[in-house]
Amino acid sequence: MTGVSTAFGTFGELLQGVLPGGDDFLVTLPIARWSVATFRSDPAAHRLRVVPDHKHKARRLLSMILADNPVPAGGVLVLESTLPEGKGFASSSADLVATARAVGNALGIGMPPSRIESYLRRIEPTDGVLYDGIVAFDHRRVELRRTLGALRPMSVVGVDEGGTVDTVAFNRLPKPFSDTDRQEYERLLARLTAAVRNGDLAEVGAVATRSAVLNQALRPKRTLDRMIAVCEEIGGLGVVVAHSGTSLGVLIDRADPHWARKVVRASRGCFALAGNVTTYVTLGFRQDP
């Protein structure tokens, strides 16, 4: 039996921080890049194989799911992804969500979000990529806080400052945010919730930029100030960062009549900052009336 499934990644987060009660949270920014998992089960096999073999978290998840299956089975899991690893694109979370769904498809096991969360919280802090749309997610507890909705697509003209970040190790770090900071994060979450509901991309960009600035106390981006200047020069919406990663970028409304010119100008400015530029597209999701 063979099961195939996917999970999208994110470009960092629109907002990430700590609330007054001490709860960690992030708000996702889904992009049009995916992990694809294919699982071929073999009841006669005596072992599990994962390709590529460095995907140890996916192997652990696969073993956990199969241990709960009443009919033991071996097999092969193949993961393919267009998401950079260790850069803040939720690549590991996307791998795991795609794996859970693919194994469920192969074995005829239901994989609702609550069941996937129950597995993932035993493995690592996780992004909210198992939910369509933009969501506020407690990545340490691995549980949904709220669904914010969807936005029309934006371009992200992004750069990578280099290196990689271990998400598990990063989430063990103490958060240097004061009570005043936590109250601001609460206000920013309320602002972002309203902005997504109203489709206000300018406000979304403003919140993302402020979150990027606050995050300098935890994982600073050396090019952030200059990236904000590039954004202001080209008339972008704001700057979004991978709070626990190495990437940051300028948000541009794809419905802007000057979109093409702004993307070109942002690309030139970003290349001058970091010597590399990649453009991404955020995902829109159909909203039921």
Side-chain angles (χ1 to χ4, degrees), residues 143-163:
E143 63 184 23
L144 181 70
R145 291 188 64 88
R146 71 181 71 157
T147 298
L148 275 63
L151 293 167
R152 64 180 181 270
M154 297 176 282
S155 292
V156 186
V157 180
V159 302
D160 173 21
E161 291 192 334

Side-chain angles (χ1 to χ4, degrees), residues 1 10 22 28 89 109 117 120 133 137 143 158 198 203 208 228-229 236 248 262 272:
M1 296 178 286
T10 68
T28 58
F89 287 79
I109 300 172
E117 286 174 342
L120 299 192
F137 197 77
E143 63 184 23
N198 297 327
E203 177 73 344
I228 292 173
L248 64 165
K262 289 184 177 182

Side-chain angles (χ1 to χ4, degrees), residues 180-200:
T180 299
D181 293 332
R182 295 180 184 205
Q183 291 166 5
E184 182 171 6
Y185 278 121
E186 186 173 49
R187 292 193 297 270
L188 288 171
L189 180 56
R191 285 176 58 189
L192 185 56
T193 299
V196 173
R197 181 176 63 245
N198 297 327
D200 186 345

Side-chain angles (χ1 to χ4, degrees), residues 28-112:
T28 58
L29 180 61
I31 58 172
R33 291 206 175 191
W34 290 267
S35 286
V36 181
T38 303
F39 178 63
R40 299 180 181 88
S41 68
D42 182 356
H46 298 292
R47 69 186 186 97
L48 299 172
R49 188 161 65 94
V50 176
V51 180
D53 60 8
H54 72 275
K55 300 285 188 176
H56 304 299
K57 296 171 186 175
R59 182 188 301 276
R60 182 179 173 192
L61 174 60
L62 177 59
S63 297
M64 289 163 56
I65 296 172
L66 293 180
D68 289 342
N69 187 37
V71 181
V76 178
L77 172 70
V78 178
L79 286 165
E80 301 170 282
S81 180
T82 56
L83 296 163
E85 296 183 8
K87 303 293 186 180
F89 287 79
S91 60
S92 179
S93 297
D95 281 349
L96 295 176
V97 172
T99 293
R101 291 170 173 169
V103 176
N105 290 341
L107 302 181
I109 300 172
M111 281 292 167

Side-chain angles (χ1 to χ4, degrees), residues 159-162 222-223 226-227 248 269-277:
V159 302
D160 173 21
E161 291 192 334
R222 66 178 184 275
T223 60
R226 287 176 290 166
M227 181 69 81
L248 64 165
C270 287
F271 186 81
L273 292 183
N276 65 84
V277 181

